[in-house]
Amino acid sequence: MRDALMLVATAYRTLFLIAAAPVIGSILLLAIARVTGAAWHGIGGPARHAPILTFGAGLLGLAQLATPAPDHLVAWMSPWAVALRGGLGGVLLTLAARRLRGGASVTFAAIVLAGYAVSVTVLAGDWMLGHVPGHPVSAVGMMLSVAAVGGAAATTLVSGSGDVRTRGDMALLAVAAALGLGYLAFMDFLIVWFGNLPARVPFYIDRGTPAASVLALAAVVVGIAAPIALLTLMRHLTGQRLAGAAVLVGLALFDVWWIGGGPAALIGAAAGLIVVAAGPLRQARREGAHG
């Protein structure tokens, strides 16, 4: 029974990370644009799904049932605590999305970014490390953030939203975020390896099998190398759409590698990509109907 629960939890955790990234990233981009005065258009689409994010984050509490926590984390990583923190974070993000999409003040946008910076490490610990409670990754909050920004920027490219300048900025952001996520993950590995930290080594041993190594390599090729090549060789909307799709697939492959779980994680990743693609596909159909 526990093995079946673990497979379901693994699939759902992977799905959630992939589907939530564009939503969170879109909220962050709206706040950044408001604070900096960037003229970005068409970046707020995924933010309207923030209420669903709240529900999904709460369900991660059920996923936590599959993973017993160490004695010193029994209360902190209990299903109720994980669900409460995720639900509260989702509610705050939903309120922020509503105000930002309606034209919030610069002060409000700055408060959103500051509040997110304070709370993201806690949320990322639940969402990205809940399957290995007690395993420390100091950069996990930044990893969640760059994945979110990359997911939102890539989704904007796939949908073809915004003007030429906006899509150009989103293309650069998507590639930079993919590079940033790869750098952060590699640096954590490097610290564990050269620091000879026995308590943290098993995490990377599990992700160093031949199959897992292929996943990591595929994430780099698809999520970083392919978008750079596409944006260099195809300087038009089609190239941007393909580059955005490549970044999304690369981020999904990273999540599968990070969460582990083999076929269960792959199923969750496929479902997550379908959820993410649904928005741009609906928009494309609407544009085709009006065109």
Side-chain angles (χ1 to χ4, degrees):
M1 180 65 179
R2 180 171 290 278
D3 289 344
L5 184 60
M6 178 66 76
L7 292 175
V8 173
T10 296
Y12 179 72
R13 191 180 299 277
T14 310
L15 184 159
F16 175 80
L17 286 176
I18 294 168
V23 180
I24 298 172
S26 182
I27 297 169
L28 294 177
L29 289 177
L30 286 170
I32 292 169
R34 192 74 184 96
V35 170
T36 62
W40 290 336
H41 306 287
I43 61 172
R48 66 176 180 272
H49 300 304
I52 302 175
L53 169 68
T54 303
F55 178 74
L59 282 182
L60 278 178
L62 294 178
Q64 207 59 45
L65 289 169
T67 308
D71 292 341
H72 66 290
L73 292 175
V74 167
W76 179 257
M77 292 303 297
S78 70
W80 287 108
V82 172
L84 180 62
R85 288 193 296 271
L88 179 59
V91 168
L92 294 176
L93 285 169
T94 299
L95 294 175
R98 186 172 300 172
R99 287 284 302 275
L100 289 167
R101 281 172 58 81
S105 67
V106 173
T107 301
F108 179 82
I111 291 173
V112 168
L113 290 173
Y116 176 84
V118 169
S119 60
V120 66
T121 298
V122 174
L123 293 176
D126 289 346
W127 298 351
M128 294 187 71
L129 296 172
H131 59 303
V132 283
H135 178 75
V137 178
S138 59
V140 69
M142 183 59 72
M143 291 172 69
L144 180 66
S145 300
V146 296
V149 170
T155 302
T156 301
L157 292 177
V158 173
S159 67
S161 301
D163 54 23
V164 174
R165 181 172 181 178
T166 297
R167 292 196 300 272
D169 288 346
M170 292 303 107
L172 296 176
L173 271 176
V175 173
L179 283 167
L181 183 60
Y183 169 79
L184 290 168
F186 178 71
M187 287 307 297
D188 185 74
F189 166 78
L190 205 61
I191 290 169
V192 172
W193 181 267
F194 281 101
N196 191 22
L197 307 176
R200 296 177 60 183
V201 166
F203 181 85
Y204 286 109
I205 290 178
D206 292 341
R207 287 153 184 79
T209 64
S213 299
V214 169
L215 269 176
L217 179 61
V220 172
V221 173
V222 176
I224 298 176
I228 292 174
L230 286 165
L231 292 170
T232 302
L233 299 174
M234 303 174 67
R235 297 176 178 272
H236 45 69
L237 182 57
T238 300
Q240 292 176 339
R241 288 183 188 271
L242 291 174
V247 170
L248 289 174
V249 173
L251 292 175
L253 290 172
F254 171 84
D255 286 331
V256 172
W257 175 80
W258 184 263
I259 298 301
L266 286 170
I267 292 171
L273 286 173
I274 290 171
V275 170
V276 171
L281 288 175
R282 282 196 301 268
Q283 180 171 333
R285 283 198 298 269
R286 285 197 300 268
E287 291 175 354
H290 291 298

